[in-house]
Structure formats: C-alpha cells, structure tokens
C-alpha cells in the first residue's frame, strides 16, 4: 500500500474473525465493527485545507473523532473507541435482533458515520468498514487494545503523512520516499514545528466512550493503555 495513504494494518491479524456479507452471530459471540474514512479521501481533504489549517490539521482530526464517538447515539453500540484514523465499536448484544441482521447494523452505522463526517466537515468524506465476530468479549477486547497499540506506534508515520499531504496542498514537494524511516519522519515534523511529545493525549491514544447501566454516557479523553484500556470495553 502506498506509504502516503497507509491506514491501520493491524486488522489483518484478526482476518480469521472477519465476517463477509450478512451473518447472524453465534450464541455468545461478539460483533465488533471498524469504520474509517478512505485514506486517499483524507489526504485530498488535507491538501484542500492546507493553507487555512495548522500543521497536522488538528480540527479535522478532532471532528473525525467526534463523528466516531457519535455512533453511540445509534443505540446499537455499547462501547466506541475513536481516533483521527478510525472508529472501533462493540455492538450491543440485542442490536442484530432489533435491526434484523448484522449487515443492517453495519449499514446503519456506516451511513451514520459518513453523514456525521459530512455535517461536521462540510465536505463529503467517503468511509468504509469491516465486521468482525469474536468468540467472546475477552478476544474482542484484544482487538481494541491492538487498535490503540497501532495508533501509538504509528504516530510518527501517520503524522508525517498528514503533514506531507498538507505540504502538497501548499505547493511544496512531498513523496513517500521522504518518510521511509522514523528519523526522516521526525525530521520532517520538526521542520514544520511539530513536537510529537507535545501533542495531546488523544492524538496518541484516542478517545473512548461507553453507555452506563443507567443509560448515561461515560467519556474517556485520557484513555489508559493495555489491560486498563481493555477493562473499559464493557456491555451496557
């Protein structure tokens, strides 16, 4: 995949759990769905906005996170983990029965995510997604942790790619070979005045939200790491 538009590749580790087409979950199994704007569409939007935004376009990133967390309003999601690249949601156990099929749940959430992106950004941003069926909540939690671990590990690369798109939008030369190594990524970012260590916590680890048993919503903008993060992934 082109390094300039590369997305989260950790989902390949869970390909055995991926559901293709409509499917009724097996008893006790848990559905997790992942949605993301098309990387090439994000790159194009970064270019278009480059002359009016800060390095990395923090507003675009924040609005993408808001669109993801907003999927809780569908009432088919019990937990949502959103970041500047994607949103991962745990589907409520009663959602498929209420909606008629897992595909109906997926289509509702994808449509809702795309619509929220369009409203918040004032620009259509094509999104796509995947359905995963895990044998139990414990394995589903591993998927959420893996998504967060990728986000942290990929921060220099994904940040430098965003900056590269902005450079092109400003008429400056940029190509993938300029960020082939972590050192090159860091050098490009420093040259634009971006201090990765100074970026907000959510840029590194994302934001999570879940329903409480009383129907309220808990928002976590200081998401923990590893087992502590996994423990947040719960049902209504």
């Amino acid at each position: 995949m082109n390094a300039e538009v590369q997305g989260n590749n950790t989902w390949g580790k869970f390909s055995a759990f991926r559901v293709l087409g409509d499917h009724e979950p097996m008893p006790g199994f848990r559905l997790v769905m992942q949605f993301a704007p098309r990387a090439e569409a994000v790159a194009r939007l970064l270019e278009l906005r480059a002359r009016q935004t800060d390095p990395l376009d923090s507003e675009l990133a924040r609005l993408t996170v808001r669109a993801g967390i907003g999927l809780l309003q569908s009432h088919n999601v019990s937990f949502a983990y959103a970041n500047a690249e994607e949103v991962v949601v745990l589907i409520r156990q009663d959602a498929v029965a209420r909606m008629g099929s897992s595909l109906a749940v997926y289509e509702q959430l994808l449509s809702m995510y795309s619509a929220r992106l369009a409203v918040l950004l004032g620009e259509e941003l094509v999104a796509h997604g995947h359905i995963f069926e895990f044998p139990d909540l414990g394995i589903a939690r591993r998927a959420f942790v893996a998504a967060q671990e990728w986000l942290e590990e990929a921060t220099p690369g994904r940040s430098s790619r965003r900056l590269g798109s902005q450079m092109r939008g400003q008429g400056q030369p940029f190509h993938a070979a300029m960020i082939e190594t972590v050192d090159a990524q860091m050098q490009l970012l420093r040259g634009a005045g971006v201090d990765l260590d100074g970026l907000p916590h959510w840029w590194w680890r994302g934001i999570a939200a879940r329903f409480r048993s009383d129907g309220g919503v808990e928002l976590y903008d200081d998401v923990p790491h590893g087992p502590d993060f996994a423990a947040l992934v719960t049902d209504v």
Side-chain angles (χ1 to χ4, degrees), residues 38-176:
R38 292 281 182 186
E40 57 271 23
V42 174
R44 177 187 60 81
L45 191 54
L46 284 164
E47 289 184 31
L48 291 174
R49 294 165 53 98
R51 297 186 186 275
Q52 292 81 39
T53 57
D54 60 340
L56 306 186
D57 199 337
S58 60
E59 181 187 43
L60 174 58
R62 284 194 301 270
L63 294 177
T64 303
V65 170
R66 281 183 58 189
I69 292 296
L71 293 185
L72 279 177
Q73 296 177 1
S74 69
H75 301 293
N76 284 325
V77 170
S78 58
F79 181 88
Y81 170 63
N83 55 57
E85 312 295 328
E86 65 182 356
V87 58
V88 188
V89 294
L90 178 68
I91 303 303
R92 291 177 55 144
Q93 294 190 46
D94 61 349
V96 173
R98 284 188 290 102
M99 296 292 292
S101 69
S102 58
L103 189 59
V105 176
Y106 170 84
E107 290 177 344
Q108 181 216 33
L109 294 176
L110 178 59
S111 176
M112 186 175 179
Y113 184 56
S114 299
R116 288 183 63 85
L117 285 170
V119 169
L120 290 169
L121 297 172
E123 177 92 18
E124 183 177 356
L125 199 59
V126 179
H128 64 128
H130 300 101
I131 307 172
F132 298 88
E133 183 183 6
F134 296 106
D136 55 49
L137 184 58
I139 297 178
R141 284 170 169 160
R142 293 183 196 175
F144 281 91
V145 171
Q148 186 195 59
E149 288 176 344
W150 171 84
L151 188 76
E152 288 192 82
E153 294 168 3
T155 292
R158 61 190 180 84
S159 300
S160 59
R161 283 190 293 273
R162 289 178 75 95
L163 182 60
S165 295
Q166 291 180 299
M167 290 171 61
R168 281 198 299 266
Q170 295 169 348
Q172 302 176 42
F174 175 78
H175 50 85

